[in-house]
Amino acid sequence: MRRPSTRARIVVAVAAVPVLLIALQIVASRNGFEGPLHSLWSDYAGTPKSVSVPWAGLALALVGLSWRRRCWAVGIALGIDVVFAIARLLLGGSLTIGNGAVITLTGLALVARFRWEGTARRNALHAAALGALLILATKVGDVWLHVTVMAGPNVLDRYVLLADHAFGQPSWVLGQVVDALGPVVFAVLHWVYIELPVAAMVVAAWQLRRVASTGIWPSHYLVRTFLALGLVGPVVYVLFPVVGPMFAFGPDGHGLQVGDYWPRIVPPVDYHPGLLGFDTVTPRNCMPSMHTAWATTVFLHSRRAADGSPAPRWLRWGGAFWLAATLTATLGFGYHYGADLLAGAVLCLTVESVLRAPERGWDRARLRVVAGGLALLAALLLCYRYLALWMAEYPVPAGVLVLGVVAAYFWLFYATWFARTPAAQPAEAAEPAARQA
């Protein structure tokens, strides 16, 4: 059988996007919540749901433009945002921005498609597609959170709480620490937590900074892993529904929580755990922690450039800070258990191993780390579900065993991708440079 051409794959991928959006909009309309098409319409002509995501998408699209065109695009986006903001205030609406970024991104793609030619057109369309996918991914993600509620009326928090005894109940520990540190630290952590797409955009823009001048795209960069995680990770939400400590054991459980424990008191060991019926509002989006997976991706891609050279110090420190602050926020706000973070990190390294260094092909090292990651993620979920009581009764040996296996997998990932000399750039990336010369 002949392998489909790149053009055919692109056509299929582009056609699948509106089909997915329409299907999710139908599901949303029938169940009474906002769908992706309605949310997109708000970005164009209403009140955008997010300020940072549209501008992060536009910023990602700018990597494919020359500096002159970047300045024009930013100026047009700001002008449109000012007009929309003034009109919205005059009509009694809220003060927010984002319309200009989405409209400019759409206009940029249309102009590049019908007016530009050659490398400039190809780079602009490629970058605009990445920016659009970033925005669309958030729309799909918002709908999927509602799907998790419909698919999981009962949650598994009682089991995950028991399993977390093996890790020292980090959510309760950091919840008290964050409370003690005061409102300033809380505000910083909250901003870091919700602005994760901005951090991803900064790292991606640095990785792709030479695209416009050289016409060469790296064989792998952060956006690929970021979007792939958004497709794969939420599937586990449906298979393993969990709401988090502050909902199942804290004040935000809408009367369905086990008790008001978090973050002051760790609940006693439940020797007969079972499913916990929960509300129709709270998303079942804890297992795995996608914020952990995405922040780990930001950290990994802030370490080195595409050619294997070290990234600048400010980027490496920024990636490390974002990862540490995100992990602190996920636990300190009661959004996740420690078990969720381990699963999120393993998922990240597995997906990254699938996509990283495509020029190497599927050699034995890649197969080993991918298969090991899939097996470890499945083993973690099974342990959390069926060995949770044993993990609570024998926390020290259980914690040492689980953390030791996870640490061994981290070492395997490092040995596979970072502890060896970087591979040479692929031949297909070198051809455009040769033609330009």
Side-chain angles (χ1 to χ4, degrees), residues 9 23 226 232 359:
R9 291 198 298 263
F226 212 79
V232 176
E359 61 273 10

Side-chain angles (χ1 to χ4, degrees), residues 4 10 40 60 106 174 222 231-232 257 264 283-284 288 311 362 436:
I10 292 175
L40 274 176
L60 188 56
T106 305
L174 283 177
L222 179 143
L231 290 174
V232 176
Q257 64 268 39
R264 296 174 291 105
R284 280 62 161 157
W362 282 85
Q436 288 182 356

Side-chain angles (χ1 to χ4, degrees), residues 206-207 300-306 308-311 414 417-418 420 422:
W206 177 81
Q207 289 181 315
L300 291 174
H301 285 264
S302 66
R303 300 295 92 194
R304 294 180 181 177
S309 60
Y414 175 81
W417 302 114
F418 286 92
R420 61 173 60 192

Side-chain angles (χ1 to χ4, degrees), residues 140-159:
V140 173
D142 290 341
V143 175
W144 191 256
L145 294 181
H146 291 280
V147 172
T148 65
V149 175
M150 295 186 295
N154 300 313
V155 297
L156 300 170
D157 284 74
R158 284 176 170 151
Y159 295 95

Side-chain angles (χ1 to χ4, degrees), residues 294-308:
W294 283 320
T296 304
T297 304
V298 171
F299 172 78
L300 291 174
H301 285 264
S302 66
R303 300 295 92 194
R304 294 180 181 177
D307 60 0

